[in-house]
């Protein structure tokens, strides 16, 4: 494994994501979130939203699309078959809402070499096309050494 620490601080091109009502409903069902605001527009509107809102962890759907750019970057040197997800933290700024056209940009915040492995931390800023911040997702991946380097 040769993770390139010189890529720390690099921000990748943004990815776009259009939030659909069905995607929110399906995600809410998958995470067993039954709050009506995730399923019915009327319930969300009663809370002051224009349409149904996504459960808080829905931001991972968007962030993972953007974070994939780091993993695919040959200059970083991550072998995805050697990756273990270590941590994920969300900072919510405003609810993700059906109909949002989101943009997500990931920055490779830190690469910490640990023995033969490395901890790779990214930060993804998610916002609407008009610049309204929706969420910041901080994710850490443990990249294990390959078998030859472990021995």
């Amino acid at each position: 494994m040769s993770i390139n620490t010189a890529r720390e601080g690099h921000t990748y091109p943004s990815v776009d994501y259009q939030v659909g009502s069905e995607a929110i409903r399906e995600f809410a069902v998958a995470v067993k979130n039954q709050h009506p605001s995730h399923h019915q527009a009327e319930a969300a509107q009663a809370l002051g939203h224009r349409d149904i809102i996504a459960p808080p962890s829905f931001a991972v759907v968007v962030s993972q699309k953007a974070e994939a750019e780091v993993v695919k970057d040959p200059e970083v040197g991550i072998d995805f078959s050697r990756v273990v997800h270590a941590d994920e933290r969300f900072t919510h700024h405003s609810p993700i809402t059906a109909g949002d056209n989101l943009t997500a940009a990931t920055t490779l915040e830190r690469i910490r070499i640990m023995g033969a492995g490395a901890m790779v931390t990214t930060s993804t800023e998610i916002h609407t096309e008009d610049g309204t911040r929706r969420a910041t997702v901080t994710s850490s991946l443990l990249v294990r050494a390959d078998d030859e380097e472990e021995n």
Side-chain angles (χ1 to χ4, degrees):
M1 174 182 70
S2 57
I3 300 290
N4 181 4
T5 58
R7 294 298 276 174
E8 277 187 347
H10 182 75
T11 299
Y12 291 80
S14 298
V15 298
D16 296 326
Y17 186 92
Q18 176 143 14
V19 182
S21 298
E22 284 309 307
I24 291 175
R25 287 185 187 104
E26 290 169 0
F27 187 87
V29 167
V31 298
K32 299 182 180 0
N33 191 320
Q34 298 175 7
H35 194 279
S37 65
H38 306 310
H39 300 275
Q40 303 162 2
E42 300 79 23
Q45 289 164 352
L47 296 172
H49 305 288
R50 73 174 186 285
D51 205 335
I52 65 172
I53 58 172
S57 55
F58 184 86
V60 74
V61 173
V62 183
S63 69
Q64 284 185 342
K65 289 186 178 301
E67 292 164 3
E69 298 303 312
V70 176
V71 175
K72 292 187 308 188
D73 181 354
E75 289 187 53
V76 177
I78 295 174
D79 175 357
F80 191 69
S81 71
R82 314 281 317 158
V83 169
V84 177
H85 194 262
D87 185 45
E88 191 122 50
R89 288 170 278 143
F90 300 89
T91 303
H92 297 285
H93 309 291
S94 58
I96 294 174
T97 306
D100 279 351
N101 292 310
L102 300 176
T103 299
T106 297
T107 300
L108 201 165
E109 293 288 338
R110 183 170 186 213
I111 299 172
R112 189 173 82 207
I113 303 300
M114 300 169 37
M119 184 70 72
V120 177
T121 302
T122 61
S123 178
T124 302
E125 293 293 335
I126 302 170
H127 53 84
T128 63
E129 60 191 347
D130 70 0
T132 303
R133 293 176 77 198
R134 292 295 194 225
T136 303
V137 181
T138 303
S139 182
S140 295
L141 302 174
L142 176 61
V143 183
R144 297 175 295 128
D146 62 30
D147 294 334
E148 288 181 16
E149 292 180 28
E150 290 175 349
N151 296 321

